[in-house]
Amino acid sequence: MIQVEQLTKRYGQTVALDGISFEVEQGEIVGFLGPNGAGKTTTMRILTCYLPATSGRVAIAGRDIFGDSVEVRRNIGYLPEGVPLYPEMRVREYLAYRARIKEVPERERRTRVGYVMDRCGVADVERKLIGSLSKGYRQRVGLADALVSDPPVLILDEPTIGLDPNQVRLVRDLIRDLGQKHTVLLSTHILPEVEMVCGRVIIIQNGKLVFQDTLASIGRQSSGSAKVVVEARVDPAEAEKATAVLGDVPGVLHVRRAEGGSPWSVFEIEVTPGADVREEVGRRMVRNGWALRELRKEQPSLEDIFVRLTAKD
């Protein structure tokens, strides 16, 4: 549904995008991530025909954005980070106006506008002036605008910015539902949100694509070590002994004793990639008379991957 090949954008001597390539299949919800200045917004503006590329190829729903941009725009719903709205218009009036511009058939407009207002949680303010709305409501009006023509592709830039926790949950559930019918490219800095709604992530850094894979493969893709957390009843006088016992297990790289509520002690064990030391750790703890309360393996999270790939020295 979205095909990007060797996309490059230069501003004079500055390279904003450096030959990135990726695809988003129909029905996918893909997180598009990167630190500030990485090139995310530039990419989305090119995909939505608001900005020309220097070189490369982009196709949306089989249409080339450079040769058939009008048809491409008919297939895209775009929510930019700073939602451009007309503050002097009322919510329903504005959405009806946008539906007309987007060529929603006249006989369907009223129904479609009512539907997106309900889905985006703005039906209760349909008669209010947009300029009088809170930032959260304006954000949801912008999302309703992106949906009003029922486009097959949605490109959403920070859709939950400015929303309270209840509104964030509403929008998150909406995006998850939209993925059953639409192709969604979602840009956000809220990584737990990506983990909740996206099946795959793309990370760019300094205009280059540095990672793309499914969330299920995050742990396998990480070159870092995994971690095992142990909580056991260990007398403080035996804490050093327990640390040494755990550190002697094959595959263990490092053991750190964390704070635990007395009489329980918590040990964080760093292990080599691919190693599973839980059985041997359990045996040694029991052999020494230390009662286990918890023993779990933690894989690197999306945040771990993101920081490793994008954090500056």
Side-chain angles (χ1 to χ4, degrees), residues 30-313:
V30 175
F32 190 52
L33 312 177
N36 291 332
K40 302 187 304 298
T41 298
T42 297
T43 302
M44 288 186 287
R45 286 177 177 171
I46 292 173
L47 295 184
T48 53
C49 306
Y50 283 90
L51 192 67
T54 303
S55 63
R57 177 180 177 273
V58 179
I60 306 288
R63 304 279 186 166
D64 184 85
I65 69 166
F66 307 118
D68 199 0
S69 64
V70 173
E71 189 60 33
V72 166
R73 293 177 193 222
R74 290 192 177 104
N75 285 279
I76 292 177
Y78 178 39
L79 175 68
E81 182 177 354
V83 185
L85 303 170
Y86 294 120
E88 70 278 4
M89 296 182 76
R90 302 183 189 277
V91 172
R92 177 178 280 277
E93 177 189 16
Y94 170 77
L95 292 173
Y97 167 69
R98 294 291 292 164
R100 187 166 66 253
I101 287 179
K102 295 182 178 185
E103 301 178 342
V104 176
E106 185 176 358
R107 64 183 179 278
E108 299 176 12
R109 283 178 203 157
R110 185 177 182 84
T111 300
R112 188 67 196 167
V113 168
Y115 171 78
V116 296
M117 286 196 303
D118 286 337
R119 291 304 306 270
C120 297
V122 295
D124 57 328
V125 294
E126 64 174 308
R127 296 184 180 278
K128 288 191 176 182
L129 292 173
I130 291 174
S132 69
L133 299 179
S134 67
K135 183 176 181 180
Y137 268 113
R138 291 197 301 270
Q139 189 76 5
R140 285 185 284 162
V141 171
L143 182 57
D145 179 6
L147 295 174
V148 74
S149 63
D150 197 22
V153 176
L154 294 170
I155 297 179
L156 311 177
D157 192 358
E158 299 288 353
T160 58
I161 191 169
L163 305 185
D164 65 38
N166 290 326
Q167 295 169 345
V168 168
R169 177 174 290 187
L170 182 150
V171 172
R172 185 192 303 144
D173 292 343
L174 173 59
I175 293 171
R176 192 182 292 116
D177 290 344
L178 291 171
Q180 299 175 16
K181 180 181 177 183
H182 303 262
T183 298
V184 182
L185 187 65
L186 168 67
S187 175
T188 179
H189 287 103
I190 307 173
L191 299 186
E193 190 170 281
V194 173
E195 292 178 310
M196 289 182 205
V197 302
C198 297
R200 189 159 60 91
V201 294
I202 296 169
I203 301 177
I204 63 173
Q205 163 76 336
N206 294 328
K208 296 182 179 181
L209 192 148
V210 295
F211 180 88
Q212 63 172 322
D213 208 336
T214 62
L215 285 170
S217 301
I218 287 290
R220 295 195 299 271
Q221 289 287 336
S222 174
S223 61
S225 56
K227 184 170 68 174
V228 171
V229 178
V230 179
E231 186 175 8
R233 188 188 295 272
V234 178
D235 189 276
E238 295 187 291
E240 289 189 13
K241 176 184 176 182
T243 300
V245 167
L246 295 173
D248 192 46
V249 174
V252 170
L253 298 175
H254 177 71
V255 179
R256 185 180 76 88
R257 183 168 179 251
E259 291 295 328
S262 181
W264 302 96
S265 295
V266 177
F267 300 89
E268 296 179 350
I269 306 172
E270 186 180 349
V271 302
T272 57
D276 192 344
V277 301
R278 287 174 292 179
E279 288 188 22
E280 183 59 26
V281 165
R283 279 193 290 267
R284 297 197 183 196
M285 297 299 285
V286 172
R287 188 184 306 153
N288 283 275
W290 299 320
L292 278 170
R293 183 157 76 173
E294 184 175 22
L295 177 58
R296 71 177 188 274
K297 185 177 181 180
E298 292 185 349
Q299 290 289 358
S301 66
L302 176 59
E303 181 177 344
D304 296 329
I305 297 289
F306 183 89
V307 171
R308 178 171 63 82
L309 292 173
T310 64
K312 297 180 180 179
D313 293 337

